[in-house]
Amino acid sequence: MASRTSNEFLLRESDFGRIHVETDLVRRIVERAAVTVDGINEATATVEKTAADSPLKIRFNLTLGQDYSVNDVSSDLVKAVRKILQESLEIIEVEIYVRVTDIKRKAEKNKRRVR
């Protein structure tokens, strides 16, 4: 995939023209997908285009909820990201790196007692 500017990449080229996508759009899509994964409290992503066979490299920094398995959450995250990228942009090959930066308890809601 050839690049056009530093923050976009060529997604597809056909007889009808070229489709370019900004890496910031991909970042927003994958961050939204990440926070829907059970166990992830916060997620930030960095998206880089590559010259290799995979057009994109995505690096996540995650804050997990307490009592969640890092392996299970990472696996669920990779599946969710691959699914959303394939469905929305038809991107099949992507490198995904996961880094857990913090583990926090889930926020407890204030309970009110009724007397």
Side-chain angles (χ1 to χ4, degrees):
M1 295 191 168
S3 66
R4 187 171 167 189
T5 67
S6 61
N7 65 349
E8 64 182 46
F9 62 96
L10 179 63
L11 178 67
R12 199 156 305 12
E13 188 170 6
S14 70
D15 294 338
F16 301 108
R18 295 179 178 173
I19 300 172
H20 293 268
V21 175
E22 291 191 13
T23 55
D24 193 49
L25 170 68
V26 176
R27 180 191 55 79
R28 290 191 313 266
I29 289 171
V30 299
E31 283 179 350
R32 279 190 217 137
V35 295
T36 65
V37 173
D38 196 33
I40 296 177
N41 289 351
E42 297 173 27
T44 58
T46 305
V47 179
E48 304 168 22
K49 55 188 180 173
T50 65
D53 293 335
S54 306
L56 296 175
K57 184 184 298 182
I58 302 172
R59 297 180 190 276
F60 281 99
N61 288 324
L62 304 178
T63 300
L64 296 185
Q66 190 173 355
D67 300 328
Y68 284 93
S69 163
V70 172
N71 291 334
D72 292 343
V73 172
S74 295
S75 176
D76 292 345
L77 171 64
V78 170
K79 288 175 188 173
V81 167
R82 289 187 189 281
K83 181 179 178 184
I84 195 69
L85 288 177
Q86 185 173 5
E87 289 175 355
S88 61
L89 298 173
E90 296 181 10
I91 295 174
I92 297 170
E93 294 296 323
V94 62
E95 295 177 37
I96 301 172
Y97 299 91
V98 177
R99 179 175 164 211
V100 177
T101 58
D102 200 5
I103 295 176
K104 293 185 178 180
R105 280 193 209 177
K106 284 191 170 183
E108 294 182 21
K109 295 182 181 178
N110 293 335
K111 295 181 180 178
R112 298 178 105 184
R113 288 190 176 177
V114 179
R115 293 183 193 209

Short mmCIF file of all heavy atoms in Angstrom, two decimals, residues 61-111:
data_model
loop_
_atom_site.label_atom_id
_atom_site.label_comp_id
_atom_site.label_asym_id
_atom_site.label_seq_id
_atom_site.Cartn_x
_atom_site.Cartn_y
_atom_site.Cartn_z
N ASN A 61 -2.46 0.84 24.46
CA ASN A 61 -2.15 0.98 25.89
C ASN A 61 -3.49 0.84 26.60
O ASN A 61 -4.43 1.60 26.32
CB ASN A 61 -1.52 2.33 26.20
CG ASN A 61 -0.11 2.43 25.69
OD1 ASN A 61 0.64 1.46 25.71
ND2 ASN A 61 0.27 3.60 25.24
N LEU A 62 -3.56 -0.13 27.51
CA LEU A 62 -4.83 -0.45 28.15
C LEU A 62 -4.78 -0.29 29.66
O LEU A 62 -3.75 -0.55 30.29
CB LEU A 62 -5.22 -1.90 27.87
CG LEU A 62 -5.32 -2.36 26.44
CD1 LEU A 62 -5.67 -3.84 26.40
CD2 LEU A 62 -6.35 -1.55 25.68
N THR A 63 -5.92 0.09 30.22
CA THR A 63 -6.16 0.01 31.64
C THR A 63 -7.23 -1.06 31.81
O THR A 63 -8.33 -0.94 31.25
CB THR A 63 -6.66 1.35 32.21
OG1 THR A 63 -5.67 2.34 31.97
CG2 THR A 63 -6.94 1.24 33.69
N LEU A 64 -6.87 -2.11 32.54
CA LEU A 64 -7.79 -3.23 32.74
C LEU A 64 -8.51 -3.10 34.07
O LEU A 64 -8.01 -2.48 35.00
CB LEU A 64 -7.03 -4.56 32.73
CG LEU A 64 -6.34 -4.97 31.46
CD1 LEU A 64 -5.75 -6.37 31.63
CD2 LEU A 64 -7.26 -4.93 30.27
N GLY A 65 -9.65 -3.74 34.13
CA GLY A 65 -10.36 -3.86 35.39
C GLY A 65 -9.72 -4.95 36.23
O GLY A 65 -9.12 -5.88 35.70
N GLN A 66 -9.85 -4.80 37.52
CA GLN A 66 -9.31 -5.79 38.43
C GLN A 66 -10.02 -7.13 38.22
O GLN A 66 -11.19 -7.16 37.84
CB GLN A 66 -9.52 -5.31 39.86
CG GLN A 66 -8.81 -6.10 40.90
CD GLN A 66 -8.94 -5.47 42.27
OE1 GLN A 66 -9.48 -4.38 42.41
NE2 GLN A 66 -8.47 -6.15 43.27
N ASP A 67 -9.35 -8.22 38.43
CA ASP A 67 -9.90 -9.58 38.32
C ASP A 67 -10.14 -10.03 36.89
O ASP A 67 -10.91 -10.95 36.66
CB ASP A 67 -11.19 -9.73 39.14
CG ASP A 67 -10.97 -9.45 40.61
OD1 ASP A 67 -9.86 -9.74 41.11
OD2 ASP A 67 -11.90 -8.94 41.26
N TYR A 68 -9.51 -9.39 35.92
CA TYR A 68 -9.62 -9.84 34.53
C TYR A 68 -8.28 -10.41 34.09
O TYR A 68 -7.22 -9.91 34.46
CB TYR A 68 -10.00 -8.69 33.59
CG TYR A 68 -11.46 -8.32 33.67
CD1 TYR A 68 -11.89 -7.33 34.54
CD2 TYR A 68 -12.40 -8.99 32.90
CE1 TYR A 68 -13.23 -7.00 34.63
CE2 TYR A 68 -13.74 -8.67 32.99
CZ TYR A 68 -14.15 -7.67 33.84
OH TYR A 68 -15.47 -7.35 33.93
N SER A 69 -8.34 -11.45 33.29
CA SER A 69 -7.13 -12.08 32.77
C SER A 69 -6.58 -11.26 31.61
O SER A 69 -7.30 -10.96 30.66
CB SER A 69 -7.46 -13.49 32.27
OG SER A 69 -6.45 -13.98 31.42
N VAL A 70 -5.31 -10.92 31.69
CA VAL A 70 -4.67 -10.16 30.62
C VAL A 70 -4.73 -10.94 29.31
O VAL A 70 -5.03 -10.37 28.25
CB VAL A 70 -3.20 -9.83 31.00
CG1 VAL A 70 -2.47 -9.21 29.82
CG2 VAL A 70 -3.16 -8.92 32.20
N ASN A 71 -4.48 -12.23 29.36
CA ASN A 71 -4.51 -13.05 28.14
C ASN A 71 -5.90 -13.08 27.51
O ASN A 71 -6.03 -12.95 26.29
CB ASN A 71 -4.03 -14.47 28.44
CG ASN A 71 -2.56 -14.52 28.75
OD1 ASN A 71 -1.79 -13.68 28.32
ND2 ASN A 71 -2.17 -15.52 29.53
N ASP A 72 -6.93 -13.26 28.34
CA ASP A 72 -8.30 -13.32 27.81
C ASP A 72 -8.72 -11.98 27.21
O ASP A 72 -9.30 -11.92 26.12
CB ASP A 72 -9.30 -13.73 28.90
CG ASP A 72 -9.11 -15.17 29.35
OD1 ASP A 72 -8.44 -15.95 28.63
OD2 ASP A 72 -9.63 -15.52 30.43
N VAL A 73 -8.44 -10.91 27.94
CA VAL A 73 -8.82 -9.57 27.45
C VAL A 73 -8.06 -9.24 26.17
O VAL A 73 -8.65 -8.72 25.21
CB VAL A 73 -8.59 -8.50 28.54
CG1 VAL A 73 -8.80 -7.10 27.97
CG2 VAL A 73 -9.51 -8.74 29.72
N SER A 74 -6.78 -9.55 26.11
CA SER A 74 -5.99 -9.28 24.91
C SER A 74 -6.53 -10.05 23.72
O SER A 74 -6.65 -9.51 22.61
CB SER A 74 -4.53 -9.65 25.14
OG SER A 74 -3.96 -8.84 26.11
N SER A 75 -6.86 -11.31 23.93
CA SER A 75 -7.41 -12.13 22.86
C SER A 75 -8.74 -11.57 22.36
O SER A 75 -8.98 -11.47 21.15
CB SER A 75 -7.59 -13.56 23.36
OG SER A 75 -8.21 -14.36 22.40
N ASP A 76 -9.61 -11.19 23.30
CA ASP A 76 -10.91 -10.60 22.93
C ASP A 76 -10.72 -9.28 22.19
O ASP A 76 -11.45 -8.99 21.23
CB ASP A 76 -11.78 -10.39 24.17
CG ASP A 76 -12.23 -11.69 24.81
OD1 ASP A 76 -12.11 -12.75 24.16
OD2 ASP A 76 -12.70 -11.64 25.96
N LEU A 77 -9.74 -8.49 22.61
CA LEU A 77 -9.46 -7.21 21.96
C LEU A 77 -9.01 -7.43 20.51
O LEU A 77 -9.51 -6.77 19.59
CB LEU A 77 -8.40 -6.44 22.73
CG LEU A 77 -7.86 -5.18 22.04
CD1 LEU A 77 -8.97 -4.14 21.88
CD2 LEU A 77 -6.69 -4.61 22.81
N VAL A 78 -8.08 -8.33 20.31
CA VAL A 78 -7.57 -8.60 18.96
C VAL A 78 -8.70 -9.06 18.05
O VAL A 78 -8.84 -8.61 16.91
CB VAL A 78 -6.41 -9.61 19.00
CG1 VAL A 78 -6.05 -10.09 17.61
CG2 VAL A 78 -5.20 -8.99 19.68
N LYS A 79 -9.56 -9.96 18.55
CA LYS A 79 -10.70 -10.44 17.76
C LYS A 79 -11.64 -9.29 17.41
O LYS A 79 -12.09 -9.18 16.26
CB LYS A 79 -11.46 -11.52 18.52
CG LYS A 79 -10.72 -12.83 18.61
CD LYS A 79 -11.49 -13.81 19.48
CE LYS A 79 -10.66 -15.05 19.75
NZ LYS A 79 -11.31 -15.94 20.73
N ALA A 80 -11.95 -8.44 18.38
CA ALA A 80 -12.87 -7.31 18.14
C ALA A 80 -12.30 -6.33 17.13
O ALA A 80 -13.02 -5.85 16.25
CB ALA A 80 -13.18 -6.60 19.46
N VAL A 81 -11.01 -6.04 17.24
CA VAL A 81 -10.37 -5.08 16.33
C VAL A 81 -10.32 -5.65 14.92
O VAL A 81 -10.65 -4.95 13.94
CB VAL A 81 -8.97 -4.68 16.84
CG1 VAL A 81 -8.18 -3.95 15.78
CG2 VAL A 81 -9.10 -3.85 18.10
N ARG A 82 -9.91 -6.88 14.78
CA ARG A 82 -9.87 -7.50 13.45
C ARG A 82 -11.25 -7.53 12.81
O ARG A 82 -11.40 -7.24 11.62
CB ARG A 82 -9.29 -8.91 13.52
CG ARG A 82 -7.80 -8.92 13.82
CD ARG A 82 -7.23 -10.32 13.73
NE ARG A 82 -5.87 -10.39 14.21
CZ ARG A 82 -4.81 -10.01 13.51
NH1 ARG A 82 -4.97 -9.54 12.30
NH2 ARG A 82 -3.60 -10.11 14.03
N LYS A 83 -12.27 -7.83 13.61
CA LYS A 83 -13.64 -7.89 13.08
C LYS A 83 -14.11 -6.52 12.60
O LYS A 83 -14.62 -6.40 11.48
CB LYS A 83 -14.58 -8.42 14.16
CG LYS A 83 -16.00 -8.53 13.69
CD LYS A 83 -16.92 -9.08 14.76
CE LYS A 83 -18.34 -9.11 14.25
NZ LYS A 83 -19.29 -9.53 15.26
N ILE A 84 -13.93 -5.48 13.41
CA ILE A 84 -14.42 -4.15 13.02
C ILE A 84 -13.65 -3.61 11.82
O ILE A 84 -14.24 -2.97 10.94
CB ILE A 84 -14.41 -3.16 14.21
CG1 ILE A 84 -15.24 -1.91 13.88
CG2 ILE A 84 -13.00 -2.74 14.58
CD1 ILE A 84 -16.70 -2.12 13.80
N LEU A 85 -12.35 -3.87 11.75
CA LEU A 85 -11.58 -3.40 10.59
C LEU A 85 -11.97 -4.13 9.31
O LEU A 85 -12.03 -3.52 8.24
CB LEU A 85 -10.08 -3.54 10.85
CG LEU A 85 -9.48 -2.58 11.87
CD1 LEU A 85 -8.01 -2.87 12.08
CD2 LEU A 85 -9.69 -1.13 11.44
N GLN A 86 -12.26 -5.41 9.43
CA GLN A 86 -12.67 -6.16 8.25
C GLN A 86 -14.06 -5.71 7.79
O GLN A 86 -14.29 -5.52 6.60
CB GLN A 86 -12.67 -7.65 8.52
CG GLN A 86 -12.99 -8.46 7.29
CD GLN A 86 -12.81 -9.96 7.51
OE1 GLN A 86 -12.54 -10.41 8.62
NE2 GLN A 86 -12.98 -10.72 6.47
N GLU A 87 -14.98 -5.52 8.74
CA GLU A 87 -16.34 -5.13 8.38
C GLU A 87 -16.44 -3.70 7.86
O GLU A 87 -17.17 -3.43 6.93
CB GLU A 87 -17.27 -5.29 9.59
CG GLU A 87 -17.53 -6.72 9.95
CD GLU A 87 -18.35 -6.87 11.22
OE1 GLU A 87 -18.65 -5.84 11.89
OE2 GLU A 87 -18.70 -8.01 11.56
N SER A 88 -15.69 -2.78 8.47
CA SER A 88 -15.85 -1.37 8.10
C SER A 88 -14.94 -0.94 6.96
O SER A 88 -15.36 -0.14 6.12
CB SER A 88 -15.64 -0.47 9.31
OG SER A 88 -14.33 -0.63 9.82
N LEU A 89 -13.70 -1.44 6.93
CA LEU A 89 -12.75 -0.96 5.93
C LEU A 89 -12.18 -2.07 5.05
O LEU A 89 -11.34 -1.81 4.19
CB LEU A 89 -11.58 -0.23 6.62
CG LEU A 89 -11.95 1.01 7.41
CD1 LEU A 89 -10.75 1.52 8.19
CD2 LEU A 89 -12.50 2.09 6.50
N GLU A 90 -12.62 -3.30 5.30
CA GLU A 90 -12.13 -4.47 4.56
C GLU A 90 -10.61 -4.65 4.70
O GLU A 90 -9.95 -5.10 3.78
CB GLU A 90 -12.56 -4.42 3.10
CG GLU A 90 -14.06 -4.48 2.92
CD GLU A 90 -14.49 -4.45 1.47
OE1 GLU A 90 -13.65 -4.57 0.57
OE2 GLU A 90 -15.70 -4.31 1.25
N ILE A 91 -10.09 -4.29 5.86
CA ILE A 91 -8.68 -4.52 6.16
C ILE A 91 -8.58 -5.87 6.86
O ILE A 91 -9.22 -6.09 7.89
CB ILE A 91 -8.11 -3.41 7.07
CG1 ILE A 91 -8.11 -2.07 6.33
CG2 ILE A 91 -6.70 -3.77 7.53
CD1 ILE A 91 -7.71 -0.90 7.19
N ILE A 92 -7.80 -6.76 6.28
CA ILE A 92 -7.69 -8.11 6.83
C ILE A 92 -6.38 -8.28 7.60
O ILE A 92 -6.36 -8.82 8.69
CB ILE A 92 -7.81 -9.16 5.71
CG1 ILE A 92 -9.19 -9.06 5.08
CG2 ILE A 92 -7.55 -10.56 6.24
CD1 ILE A 92 -9.38 -9.86 3.83
N GLU A 93 -5.30 -7.82 7.04
CA GLU A 93 -4.00 -7.99 7.67
C GLU A 93 -3.64 -6.75 8.49
O GLU A 93 -3.62 -5.65 7.96
CB GLU A 93 -2.91 -8.22 6.61
CG GLU A 93 -3.07 -9.52 5.86
CD GLU A 93 -2.93 -10.74 6.74
OE1 GLU A 93 -2.08 -10.72 7.67
OE2 GLU A 93 -3.66 -11.70 6.54
N VAL A 94 -3.39 -6.96 9.78
CA VAL A 94 -2.99 -5.87 10.66
C VAL A 94 -2.16 -6.46 11.80
O VAL A 94 -2.44 -7.55 12.27
CB VAL A 94 -4.22 -5.09 11.18
CG1 VAL A 94 -5.13 -5.95 12.00
CG2 VAL A 94 -3.81 -3.86 11.94
N GLU A 95 -1.12 -5.75 12.20
CA GLU A 95 -0.31 -6.15 13.35
C GLU A 95 -0.87 -5.42 14.56
O GLU A 95 -1.05 -4.21 14.53
CB GLU A 95 1.14 -5.75 13.16
CG GLU A 95 1.84 -6.46 12.03
CD GLU A 95 3.28 -5.96 11.86
OE1 GLU A 95 3.94 -5.68 12.87
OE2 GLU A 95 3.70 -5.85 10.70
N ILE A 96 -1.13 -6.17 15.63
CA ILE A 96 -1.70 -5.57 16.84
C ILE A 96 -0.80 -5.90 18.03
O ILE A 96 -0.46 -7.06 18.26
CB ILE A 96 -3.13 -6.10 17.10
CG1 ILE A 96 -4.04 -5.76 15.91
CG2 ILE A 96 -3.68 -5.51 18.40
CD1 ILE A 96 -5.40 -6.39 15.98
N TYR A 97 -0.42 -4.87 18.76
CA TYR A 97 0.40 -5.00 19.95
C TYR A 97 -0.39 -4.46 21.13
O TYR A 97 -1.01 -3.40 21.03
CB TYR A 97 1.70 -4.21 19.81
CG TYR A 97 2.54 -4.70 18.66
CD1 TYR A 97 2.40 -4.15 17.39
CD2 TYR A 97 3.46 -5.72 18.84
CE1 TYR A 97 3.16 -4.60 16.32
CE2 TYR A 97 4.22 -6.19 17.77
CZ TYR A 97 4.06 -5.62 16.52
OH TYR A 97 4.81 -6.08 15.47
N VAL A 98 -0.37 -5.19 22.24
CA VAL A 98 -1.14 -4.81 23.43
C VAL A 98 -0.18 -4.61 24.60
O VAL A 98 0.66 -5.46 24.88
CB VAL A 98 -2.18 -5.88 23.78
CG1 VAL A 98 -2.93 -5.50 25.05
CG2 VAL A 98 -3.15 -6.09 22.63
N ARG A 99 -0.35 -3.49 25.27
CA ARG A 99 0.45 -3.18 26.46
C ARG A 99 -0.51 -2.76 27.56
O ARG A 99 -1.32 -1.84 27.38
CB ARG A 99 1.40 -2.04 26.14
CG ARG A 99 2.26 -1.64 27.29
CD ARG A 99 3.25 -0.58 26.82
NE ARG A 99 3.80 0.08 27.98
CZ ARG A 99 4.18 1.33 28.00
NH1 ARG A 99 4.08 2.07 26.92
NH2 ARG A 99 4.69 1.85 29.09
N VAL A 100 -0.45 -3.45 28.68
CA VAL A 100 -1.28 -3.09 29.83
C VAL A 100 -0.49 -2.12 30.68
O VAL A 100 0.62 -2.42 31.13
CB VAL A 100 -1.68 -4.35 30.65
CG1 VAL A 100 -2.47 -3.95 31.87
CG2 VAL A 100 -2.47 -5.31 29.77
N THR A 101 -1.05 -0.93 30.89
CA THR A 101 -0.34 0.11 31.63
C THR A 101 -0.86 0.28 33.05
O THR A 101 -0.17 0.85 33.88
CB THR A 101 -0.46 1.46 30.90
OG1 THR A 101 -1.83 1.80 30.74
CG2 THR A 101 0.23 1.40 29.55
N ASP A 102 -2.07 -0.23 33.32
CA ASP A 102 -2.62 -0.09 34.66
C ASP A 102 -3.76 -1.07 34.86
O ASP A 102 -4.39 -1.52 33.89
CB ASP A 102 -3.14 1.35 34.86
CG ASP A 102 -3.29 1.74 36.33
OD1 ASP A 102 -2.91 0.94 37.21
OD2 ASP A 102 -3.78 2.85 36.58
N ILE A 103 -3.99 -1.40 36.12
CA ILE A 103 -5.14 -2.23 36.49
C ILE A 103 -5.87 -1.48 37.59
O ILE A 103 -5.27 -1.07 38.58
CB ILE A 103 -4.69 -3.62 36.99
CG1 ILE A 103 -4.02 -4.39 35.86
CG2 ILE A 103 -5.88 -4.40 37.54
CD1 ILE A 103 -3.45 -5.72 36.25
N LYS A 104 -7.17 -1.28 37.38
CA LYS A 104 -7.97 -0.51 38.34
C LYS A 104 -9.22 -1.28 38.70
O LYS A 104 -9.72 -2.10 37.93
CB LYS A 104 -8.39 0.83 37.73
CG LYS A 104 -7.26 1.78 37.49
CD LYS A 104 -7.77 3.11 37.01
CE LYS A 104 -6.61 4.07 36.82
NZ LYS A 104 -7.07 5.37 36.34
N ARG A 105 -9.72 -0.96 39.87
CA ARG A 105 -11.03 -1.49 40.25
C ARG A 105 -12.09 -0.82 39.41
O ARG A 105 -11.92 0.31 38.99
CB ARG A 105 -11.34 -1.15 41.70
CG ARG A 105 -10.68 -2.01 42.67
CD ARG A 105 -11.35 -1.75 43.99
NE ARG A 105 -10.40 -1.99 45.04
CZ ARG A 105 -10.65 -1.80 46.29
NH1 ARG A 105 -11.82 -1.31 46.66
NH2 ARG A 105 -9.75 -2.06 47.19
N LYS A 106 -13.18 -1.53 39.22
CA LYS A 106 -14.31 -0.88 38.55
C LYS A 106 -14.85 0.19 39.47
O LYS A 106 -14.89 0.02 40.68
CB LYS A 106 -15.41 -1.90 38.24
CG LYS A 106 -15.09 -2.79 37.08
CD LYS A 106 -16.32 -3.56 36.70
CE LYS A 106 -16.08 -4.26 35.40
NZ LYS A 106 -17.26 -4.96 34.93
N ALA A 107 -15.28 1.27 38.89
CA ALA A 107 -15.86 2.35 39.69
C ALA A 107 -17.18 1.88 40.29
O ALA A 107 -18.02 1.32 39.60
CB ALA A 107 -16.10 3.58 38.83
N GLU A 108 -17.30 2.06 41.58
CA GLU A 108 -18.54 1.66 42.24
C GLU A 108 -19.49 2.85 42.24
O GLU A 108 -19.10 3.97 42.52
CB GLU A 108 -18.26 1.22 43.67
CG GLU A 108 -17.44 -0.05 43.74
CD GLU A 108 -17.21 -0.49 45.17
OE1 GLU A 108 -17.98 -0.08 46.07
OE2 GLU A 108 -16.26 -1.24 45.39
N LYS A 109 -20.73 2.56 41.93
CA LYS A 109 -21.73 3.62 41.92
C LYS A 109 -22.12 3.94 43.36
O LYS A 109 -22.18 3.07 44.21
CB LYS A 109 -22.96 3.17 41.12
CG LYS A 109 -22.66 2.95 39.66
CD LYS A 109 -23.90 2.55 38.93
CE LYS A 109 -23.57 2.32 37.46
NZ LYS A 109 -24.71 1.90 36.70
N ASN A 110 -22.39 5.19 43.59
CA ASN A 110 -22.84 5.59 44.93
C ASN A 110 -24.22 5.02 45.18
O ASN A 110 -25.13 5.20 44.38
CB ASN A 110 -22.88 7.11 45.05
CG ASN A 110 -21.51 7.71 45.00
OD1 ASN A 110 -20.54 7.05 45.32
ND2 ASN A 110 -21.42 8.97 44.58
N LYS A 111 -24.33 4.30 46.28
CA LYS A 111 -25.61 3.70 46.61
C LYS A 111 -26.32 4.61 47.62
O LYS A 111 -25.72 5.05 48.59
CB LYS A 111 -25.41 2.31 47.19
CG LYS A 111 -24.82 1.35 46.18
CD LYS A 111 -24.66 -0.02 46.78
CE LYS A 111 -24.07 -0.96 45.78
NZ LYS A 111 -23.85 -2.28 46.32
#
